[in-house]
Amino acid sequence: MISLAARDIAHSWSKYVFTGIGLGLLIGVTLSMAGIFRGMVDDAQVLLRNSQADVWVVQKDTQGPYAESSSLPDDVYRSILGMPGVQQAANVTYFTMQVQHQGKDIRVMVVGFKPGQPGAPPSLVAGRHVTRSHYEAVADVKAGFKLGEKIRIRRNEYTIVGLSQRTVSSGGDPMVFIPLADAQAAQFQKDNDAIVSGRERTAANPAFNRPNVPGLLEAVQMSQTTSHNVNAVLVQVRPGWDAAQVAADIQRWKHLQAYTYADMEEISVKKLIATSAKQIGLFLVILTIVSTAIVSFIIYTMTLGKIREIAVLKLIGTRNSTIAWMILQESIGLGLVGFIIGKTVSTLWAPAFPKYVLLLPLDAVLGLLVIVVVCTLASVMAIRAALKVDPAEAIGG
Amino acid sequence: MADNTTPAIELRGLRKRYGSGDTAVDALKGVDMRIAPGEVVGLVGPSGSGKSTLLKCLGAVIDPTAGQMLLGGEAIFDEVWKVKDLRTLRRDRIGFVFQAPYLIPFLDVTDNVALLPMLAGKSNKDARRRALELLEALDVAHRAKASPSLLSGGEQQRVSIARALANNPPIILADEPTAPLDSERALGVVKILNDMAQQHQTAIIVVTHDEKIIPTFKRIYHIRDGKTYEE
């Protein structure tokens, strides 16, 4: 038996292809939305993975350092190093700022780290790691800098010595890694007027400006212009130790907040992007409903255009199931054409998005299954119309 | 078992009533008809006389209200349908030729004809061979691969006749088959119907208003107010 659907499609292929292109663009948008959501989740996860930490120690009663601000004295890490099960503990700072590159503003997350410690940039795609104590930086390729270029962070310029890849904040901003001391200074750096004003206010305080204690005022003023805080301490546990137990011990004995990888994933993925996820989820549902409505309408219209032929087919003995199968095949065929176009365009335009779009093969397979279901549902109305056609309509009007 | 004297189609007191009660309309009021194999008869009548209703009853697409309908001596309707599957009855035992050819536009000429044998379970190869034989006989084999929309009106009508003959049915119902054609082509179609009826021993009922072709029928049934009168 010949395929009536294939013949009908071949007969009106241009109408079919143009409809498929329209549907394909809609499917492309749907796949891209799913990709944007996956990209957000991946950004959050890649931030955690790149930290190379098993436990994040942050200010008590905060969910820092990514979801909330957190501030810790920079000598806390020493006491953490002495805790059972701790192999490495390193200070890190994170702050987001706008930097200039070739006349354009770029939003980056500046990471202060100690070379060779948790929080350092993972493997580089070009250049070398930071080896000097000051004014060297490693930047994510997405920031657009090239090796040897200068990046200005607050008052200082840093030479880009290495380039990393997929090192981004949970918001998708590229990271720039600089030495910890520089980052601490930059993060809490005051402008000159504020420094002068602060010094005057301290000098006016008789408790700090005692005539019979030389050097006290200068010491106090010095302490006010330098920062000894960090945002978090990243901890790696010894092999065989349970990170959750180490985190619980730190929390209990050091009166700090300590999160395991799972805790941080909960905060970063489920809490931080929960609203965005709901937003995108709702958008996906709306797009699916719109796609169903469009396919329904197209297939229904195409079927109505064949009412006379369907009446003739029924009159000459074609089974209802054969006619229903023809409509269903055409509907699913339209969906498949749309899917191929949608997958192609979503892959082509994904790199043009400013944020990371992660198109997972699994999502594509899932999308394909949804399209098959949607097209099946969409054909119901047309099949009902076709089955209602009276074969007598072919005779005598 | 049918023999040579057994009519291809026979109607005995066939009635059809639409609606019920005060609004009931008797479209057929006891139609009698008897057509032998290989015979071509005309069915003539004014609008509203019951031609279309009779054709639909004969085509098993509406249910008669009463009477008998025999096909090759076998009662297919006797107050109720005696065959379970009317779709199969239409496919295998009744051919249709319409006023407009109503060819399936997305199938080529061959497959328009081959579709019926395929629906009846023949292989694509056998069905196409049968289609080509008929197209050859009807002198349209040279358009076998063409799309129906590229055929002239006369060619389309010949293809629709080939389709009606594809499963070798004992009866063909032709609903004003010459209406859209000029005199020459109309007479050509009637000749083809006569030839095919003779060749395939098929009874053909031609519903027509066409004055040009009415004189060509050896027998004519007139239908008026739901009753038939043989001329």
Side-chain angles (χ1 to χ4, degrees):
Chain A
M1 180 68 190
I2 50 176
S3 166
L4 295 175
R7 297 302 179 90
D8 191 23
I9 292 168
H11 179 254
S12 48
W13 67 269
S14 57
K15 187 168 68 176
Y16 209 77
V17 166
F18 283 117
T19 309
I21 288 172
L23 182 65
L25 292 173
L26 194 63
I27 292 170
V29 171
T30 310
L31 291 175
S32 297
M33 289 303 297
I36 288 167
F37 171 70
R38 294 291 186 195
M40 286 169 63
V41 172
D42 196 65
D43 281 350
Q45 287 176 332
V46 87
L47 171 66
L48 302 182
R49 282 198 299 272
N50 288 340
S51 300
Q52 307 147 69
D54 299 315
V55 175
W56 281 254
V57 182
V58 297
Q59 184 181 339
K60 192 168 172 57
D61 299 329
T62 70
Q63 294 193 335
Y66 311 121
E68 290 179 11
S69 65
S70 154
S71 184
L72 296 172
D74 62 3
D75 56 356
V76 161
Y77 83 97
R78 290 199 180 92
S79 60
I80 292 172
L81 268 174
M83 297 285 295
V86 173
Q87 180 157 301
Q88 274 193 310
N91 288 327
V92 282
T93 63
Y94 299 99
F95 62 97
T96 303
M97 65 175 292
Q98 300 279 125
V99 294
Q100 288 272 321
H101 181 236
Q102 295 176 348
K104 279 196 282 187
D105 273 344
I106 302 161
R107 190 176 171 79
V108 297
M109 178 184 254
V110 178
V111 182
F113 74 103
K114 281 199 164 176
Q117 300 281 315
S123 56
L124 304 181
V125 291
R128 60 169 174 82
H129 283 280
V130 169
T131 52
R132 294 183 184 171
S133 305
H134 296 285
Y135 312 128
E136 283 189 347
V138 168
D140 187 273
V141 288
K142 203 178 151 192
F145 288 92
K146 293 187 175 66
L147 291 177
E149 280 189 321
K150 303 280 187 188
I151 177 171
R152 189 173 184 83
I153 295 172
R154 303 278 193 247
R155 291 184 196 155
N156 300 314
E157 285 200 331
Y158 295 77
T159 306
I160 304 292
V161 296
L163 295 174
S164 59
Q165 198 168 29
R166 285 297 292 143
T167 43
V168 292
S169 72
S170 58
D173 301 321
M175 283 178 166
V176 175
F177 298 84
I178 61 174
L180 180 67
D182 289 354
Q184 281 178 288
Q187 186 173 19
F188 302 104
Q189 197 161 52
K190 296 172 183 171
D191 63 66
N192 290 343
D193 290 344
I195 292 169
V196 170
S197 164
R199 282 179 182 163
E200 284 171 355
R201 199 165 50 242
T202 308
N205 188 335
F208 299 133
N209 194 4
R210 297 181 189 170
N212 56 343
V213 187
L216 174 62
L217 179 62
E218 288 73 20
V220 172
Q221 284 174 334
M222 181 62 74
S223 72
Q224 287 174 336
T225 53
T226 54
S227 169
H228 299 287
N229 282 342
V230 292
N231 299 122
V233 176
L234 303 182
V235 173
Q236 285 179 346
V237 301
R238 290 182 187 282
W241 284 76
D242 179 19
Q245 187 57 51
V246 173
D249 288 346
I250 293 171
Q251 206 155 295
R252 182 177 179 192
W253 298 110
K254 300 297 170 192
H255 304 288
L256 297 166
Q257 203 74 42
Y259 295 111
T260 62
Y261 190 95
D263 297 333
M264 286 306 288
E265 201 169 34
E266 173 84 14
I267 292 169
S268 299
V269 177
K270 293 192 180 158
K271 292 183 182 171
L272 203 58
I273 61 173
T275 310
S276 304
K278 280 181 192 164
Q279 183 107 336
I280 290 174
L282 186 61
F283 203 52
L284 283 174
V285 170
I286 291 169
L287 281 172
T288 306
I289 292 169
V290 170
S291 303
T292 310
I294 288 176
V295 178
S296 279
F297 179 73
I298 292 165
I299 294 296
Y300 185 68
T301 309
M302 283 165 75
T303 303
L304 289 188
K306 291 194 288 269
I307 287 295
R308 179 67 83 171
E309 286 79 15
I310 289 170
V312 172
L313 283 171
K314 290 175 99 168
L315 184 69
I316 64 176
T318 309
R319 288 175 191 274
N320 278 342
S321 58
T322 305
I323 293 166
W325 180 229
M326 175 182 82
I327 295 168
L328 181 62
Q329 280 178 302
E330 289 187 16
S331 182
I332 291 174
L334 189 63
L336 292 178
V337 170
F339 175 76
I340 291 166
I341 293 167
K343 180 77 184 95
T344 306
V345 295
S346 63
T347 306
L348 289 176
W349 68 39
F353 279 82
K355 287 205 173 183
Y356 184 50
V357 179
L358 179 58
L359 300 168
L360 294 177
L362 185 66
D363 284 346
V365 172
L366 198 64
L368 183 59
L369 291 176
V370 169
I371 287 164
V372 170
V373 172
V374 160
C375 290
T376 305
L377 291 175
S379 65
V380 168
M381 206 164 64
I383 289 172
R384 276 171 60 99
L387 296 189
K388 277 186 188 166
V389 174
D390 186 353
E393 285 181 32
I395 299 175
Chain B
M1 188 74 181
D3 55 34
N4 287 340
T5 58
T6 306
I9 178 96
E10 185 176 2
L11 306 183
R12 295 177 188 161
L14 199 73
R15 293 174 174 274
K16 173 64 185 175
R17 171 173 285 188
Y18 290 109
S20 59
D22 293 343
T23 58
V25 175
D26 287 313
L28 300 178
K29 299 171 181 169
V31 171
D32 296 310
M33 196 179 262
R34 192 180 161 92
I35 306 164
E39 194 178 12
V40 179
V41 300
L43 181 64
V44 181
S47 291
S49 59
K51 293 193 304 290
S52 288
T53 299
L54 179 55
L55 213 57
K56 286 172 184 174
C57 288
L58 286 166
V61 289
I62 61 171
D63 303 334
T65 310
Q68 281 186 315
M69 201 153 72
L70 292 86
L71 203 60
E74 177 196 347
I76 59 166
F77 182 87
D78 188 355
E79 306 302 319
V80 290
W81 288 106
K82 295 293 179 184
V83 285
K84 279 184 184 171
D85 188 355
L86 297 180
R87 182 186 60 79
T88 309
L89 174 76
R90 290 197 301 268
R91 184 191 70 197
D92 297 342
R93 300 175 72 181
I94 305 170
F96 295 92
V97 178
F98 310 106
Q99 182 174 342
Y102 296 146
L103 299 175
I104 307 299
F106 51 83
L107 298 179
D108 65 22
V109 165
T110 308
D111 284 342
N112 257 285
V113 179
L115 182 62
L116 265 99
M118 286 178 190
L119 290 171
K122 283 200 173 171
S123 68
N124 288 7
K125 193 178 168 187
D126 289 347
R128 288 201 175 106
R129 189 186 302 131
R130 167 75 177 152
L132 286 171
E133 282 169 15
L134 288 166
L135 293 172
E136 193 82 46
L138 288 157
D139 201 24
V140 274
H142 61 290
R143 309 306 301 269
K145 288 291 159 200
S147 167
S149 60
L150 300 175
L151 270 56
S152 69
E155 286 175 328
Q156 286 188 25
Q157 201 56 292
R158 277 183 278 162
V159 174
S160 83
I161 293 168
R163 179 175 66 183
L165 287 163
N167 279 341
N168 210 9
I171 174 172
I172 286 179
L173 306 175
D175 184 15
E176 305 207 33
T178 59
L181 304 176
D182 58 36
S183 297
E184 193 184 341
R185 287 200 171 86
L187 291 170
V189 166
V190 173
K191 184 178 182 312
I192 288 168
L193 288 174
N194 277 300
D195 291 348
M196 291 296 125
Q198 283 298 311
Q199 207 173 318
H200 298 276
Q201 283 300 292
T202 305
I204 300 179
I205 300 173
V206 181
V207 175
T208 187
H209 276 117
D210 194 341
E211 298 291 340
K212 306 182 291 282
I213 66 164
I214 290 173
T216 64
F217 298 117
K218 287 178 186 159
R219 277 207 305 146
I220 295 173
Y221 281 96
H222 289 270
I223 183 163
R224 193 177 304 119
D225 298 328
K227 285 198 158 191
T228 47
Y229 307 92
E230 191 179 341
E231 185 179 299

